[in-house]
């Protein structure tokens, strides 16, 4: 059993093989997967396929595409799918999520794989779903038709108004991409009106947050998830500006909610549904405390271009950022071992046993779960310890959500208040991870 009082980074790498030896000794496109690499005991039903580490953008906060350019061969994608079918045990439904870099740089392979995987899954009694996180800049009519035909879930990475989009997410060819992003976002929203805009907030652009929220709403998004980046660069002035921006956002959301229009921030809804409303109506006993933040390393994992298995799509980069030397690699689908000890650290992750002293006074603590383990590792060197910037962000986000709740509650518009509470009831997360 993992000793939670020591840093998890001391756990040795999951397997003795290196990337080079695996690629050198095995014809990796055709090599059979090893059943010893299948974890067992806890069904893996959601798997990220790291189809490429390359990207056509050069985002200011990139944790992968600026450093790497490797692609996952189609053969590895197929073997990874077979591994997922075994790792999912008796589960009847599995999800293949295509990640990058920018996954549409490998669209030809994704398309071929999806057609094959749907048939392959049916032959072994698995319902196969697909999803993808994309920056929208390389989309074509063929991609648009295919994702609808195969029912892809699409998470759109779009940071805000054109000036923010083009500055935070500049194209490597030097051409502004915001118009293309807006075009395909509108196209997707026409048939997927509940889609979420996944916006990243760099401290250089905190002063544009309210403007970006209004822009995203204007092009059709009613659900917006915002996550801060580059924690080490945030200053006191940035936090002061953030508070002012959130106040403006609350006023904007209140106005539209009272007018019967759906628009909200995912984080606001999460805190309202999980904490603020139960506390307000005296139902604190119904608050479900979260010992861990997500399914990483449990029912959710990632496989990279060599077949390496990681707890989630961010852990290969976080492992490198922390100088962990592969300690957070769970195994390899072609290898003969799986790091069950490392996995237990996720299965037994308990935020309430190991946390910062300040957590005990944070109003969001019951449902924080300790934040993203991969981000924690990259920023503080421990999967258990969030960066102080994230904690400041959380406190301000919670306060803004509380303000929105009470302003709508006290407005006298019962329909708007009821809609706000009901829409917040089943939100699973803040959308930041």
């Amino acid at each position: 059993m993992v000793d939670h009082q020591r840093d998890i980074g001391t756990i040795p790498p999951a397997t003795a093989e290196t990337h080079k030896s695996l690629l050198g000794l095995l014809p990796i496109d055709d090599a059979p997967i090893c059943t010893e690499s299948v974890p067992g005991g806890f069904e893996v039903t959601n798997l990220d396929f790291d189809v490429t580490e390359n990207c056509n953008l050069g985002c200011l906060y990139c944790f992968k595409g600026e450093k790497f350019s490797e692609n996952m061969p189609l053969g590895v994608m197929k073997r990874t799918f077979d591994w997922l079918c075994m790792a999912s045990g008796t589960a009847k439904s599995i999800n293949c999520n295509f990640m990058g870099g920018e996954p549409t740089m490998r669209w030809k392979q994704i398309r071929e794989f999806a057609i094959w995987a749907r048939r392959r899954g049916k032959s072994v009694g698995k319902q196969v779903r697909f999803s993808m996180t994309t920056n929208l800049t390389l989309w074509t009519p063929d991609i648009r038709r295919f994702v609808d035909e195969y029912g892809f879930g699409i998470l759109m990475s779009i940071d805000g108004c054109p000036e923010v989009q083009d500055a935070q997410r500049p194209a490597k060819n030097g051409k502004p991409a915001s118009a293309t992003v807006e075009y395909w976002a509108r196209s997707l929203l026409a048939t997927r009106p509940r889609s979420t805009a996944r916006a990243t907030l760099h401290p250089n652009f905190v002063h544009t947050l309210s403007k970006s929220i209004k822009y995203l709403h204007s092009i059709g998004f009613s659900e917006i998830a915002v996550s801060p980046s580059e924690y080490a660069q945030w200053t006191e002035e940035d936090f002061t500006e953030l508070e002012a921006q959130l106040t403006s956002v609350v006023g904007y959301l209140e106005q539209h909610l009272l007018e019967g229009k759906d628009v909200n921030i995912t984080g606001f809804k999460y805190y309202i549904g999980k904490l603020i409303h139960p506390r307000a109506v005296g139902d604190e006993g119904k608050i479900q405390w979260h010992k861990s933040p997500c399914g990483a390393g449990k029912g959710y994992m990632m496989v990279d271009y060599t077949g390496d298995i990681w707890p989630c799509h961010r852990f290969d980069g976080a492992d490198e950022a922390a100088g962990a030397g592969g300690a957070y690699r769970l195994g390899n689908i072609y290898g003969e071992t799986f790091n069950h000890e490392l996995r237990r650290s996720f299965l037994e992750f308990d935020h309430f046993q190991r946390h910062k002293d300040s957590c005990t006074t944070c109003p969001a603590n019951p449902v924080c779960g300790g934040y993203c383990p991969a981000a924690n590792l990259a920023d503080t060197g421990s999967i258990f310890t969030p960066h102080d910037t994230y904690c400041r962000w959380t406190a301000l986000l919670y306060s803004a959500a509380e303000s929105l709740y009470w302003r709508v509650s006290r407005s006298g518009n019962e329909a708007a208040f009821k809609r706000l509470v009901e829409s917040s009831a089943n939100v699973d997360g803040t959308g930041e991870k």
Side-chain angles (χ1 to χ4, degrees):
M1 183 174 294
V2 173
D3 178 3
H4 290 286
Q5 298 308 309
R6 64 182 174 86
D7 187 31
I8 202 69
T10 60
I11 291 178
T15 61
E17 298 94 342
T18 63
H19 292 348
K20 288 184 179 180
S21 64
L22 279 167
L23 291 171
L25 295 175
L26 298 172
I28 199 162
D29 277 19
D30 303 313
I33 58 176
C34 181
T35 57
E36 297 300 318
S37 70
V38 178
F42 198 103
E43 295 175 340
V44 178
T45 58
N46 190 11
L47 190 71
D48 284 340
F49 287 65
D50 204 31
V51 294
T52 182
E53 295 183 336
N54 198 5
C55 187
N56 62 317
L57 300 184
C59 301
L60 300 186
Y61 48 81
C62 180
F63 61 88
K64 185 168 291 187
E66 281 291 275
K67 303 176 182 178
F68 311 111
S69 59
E70 291 85 357
N71 297 316
M72 177 183 273
L74 181 60
V76 178
M77 294 174 68
K78 292 181 176 180
R79 297 295 79 76
T80 297
F81 181 82
D82 287 343
W83 182 91
L84 174 59
C85 286
M86 287 195 289
S88 60
T90 60
K92 297 299 182 182
S93 179
I94 55 178
N95 184 67
C96 303
N97 183 43
F98 305 112
M99 297 290 296
E102 171 49 36
T104 56
M105 295 186 79
R106 300 284 287 169
W107 178 249
K108 179 181 178 181
Q109 291 75 20
I110 290 174
R111 191 181 193 281
E112 183 176 342
F113 169 81
I115 295 170
W116 173 89
R118 184 63 60 82
R119 293 197 304 264
R120 183 80 156 187
K122 186 175 181 180
S123 71
V124 295
K126 303 282 186 182
Q127 179 184 12
V128 184
R129 294 174 288 108
F130 304 104
S131 55
M132 180 167 63
T133 298
T134 174
N135 63 31
L136 299 175
T137 59
L138 300 175
W139 276 53
T140 64
D142 174 67
I143 296 176
R144 183 69 182 86
R145 286 191 298 269
F146 191 85
V147 298
D148 272 356
E149 179 184 355
Y150 272 71
F152 273 54
I154 302 295
L155 180 62
M156 293 177 259
S157 293
I158 174 170
D159 286 351
C161 55
E163 67 182 82
V164 173
Q165 184 74 11
D166 291 329
Q168 283 195 178
R169 304 172 67 84
K172 290 179 179 177
N173 63 10
K175 298 179 180 179
S178 57
T180 300
V181 173
E182 179 178 328
Y183 174 84
W184 288 112
R186 287 182 181 274
S187 173
L188 282 162
L189 286 163
T191 56
R192 302 155 183 256
R194 306 305 300 176
S195 295
T196 298
R198 172 59 166 76
T200 299
L201 183 63
H202 190 283
N204 289 355
F205 296 93
V206 66
H207 64 285
T208 67
L209 176 60
S210 180
K211 182 179 181 180
S212 287
I213 296 298
K214 294 173 184 176
Y215 166 78
L216 292 170
H217 184 219
S218 75
I219 66 173
F221 285 104
S222 61
E223 191 73 27
I224 304 164
V226 184
S227 180
S229 69
E230 303 302 308
Y231 294 159
Q233 297 182 29
W234 285 71
T235 66
E236 284 300 321
E237 290 76 14
D238 292 330
F239 286 116
T240 299
E241 179 61 29
L242 175 61
E243 188 169 12
Q245 289 291 314
L246 287 171
T247 298
S248 175
V249 170
V250 166
Y252 180 80
L253 299 183
E254 178 192 16
Q255 173 191 341
H256 285 79
L257 285 167
L258 295 180
E259 293 173 356
K261 300 173 184 176
D262 288 332
V263 57
N264 217 321
I265 306 299
T266 307
F268 286 4
K269 291 169 66 173
Y270 180 71
Y271 291 129
I272 288 171
K274 297 296 182 183
L275 290 174
I276 296 168
H277 183 63
R279 286 169 172 167
V281 298
D283 268 349
E284 290 198 43
K286 294 184 179 180
I287 293 174
Q288 297 179 353
W289 290 56
H290 292 198
K291 296 171 65 176
S292 60
C294 63
K298 304 172 187 175
Y300 163 50
M301 294 180 187
M302 182 271 275
V303 173
D304 69 14
Y305 72 101
T306 69
D308 273 352
I309 307 161
W310 299 89
C312 83
H313 73 280
R314 292 193 61 175
F315 259 95
D316 54 341
D319 181 280
E320 177 173 319
Y328 292 87
R329 186 162 56 103
L330 288 162
N332 185 286
I333 64 173
Y334 303 104
E336 297 181 353
T337 61
F338 183 88
N339 194 331
H340 295 282
E341 183 183 5
L342 175 57
R343 193 189 197 196
R344 278 197 296 272
S345 70
F346 292 95
L347 293 173
E348 299 170 3
F349 193 110
D350 191 342
H351 168 62
F352 303 112
Q353 293 298 317
R354 181 165 181 172
H355 54 256
K356 301 194 300 188
D357 291 342
S358 58
C359 293
T360 59
T361 59
C362 176
N365 187 49
V367 298
C368 168
Y371 187 46
C372 170
N376 295 347
L377 176 65
D379 292 313
T380 69
S382 169
I383 64 173
F384 302 105
T385 309
H387 194 282
D388 288 343
T389 289
Y390 171 75
C391 296
R392 292 283 298 277
W393 159 265
T394 297
L396 289 172
L397 195 69
Y398 180 92
S399 178
E402 191 173 42
S403 175
L404 176 65
Y405 176 87
W406 286 115
R407 286 170 67 161
V408 176
S409 171
R410 293 164 178 165
S411 68
N413 189 327
E414 294 183 6
F417 179 64
K418 181 180 180 181
R419 194 167 61 254
L420 174 63
V421 172
E422 289 180 347
S423 68
S424 303
N426 297 306
V427 179
D428 293 329
T430 60
E432 296 172 53
K433 302 177 182 65

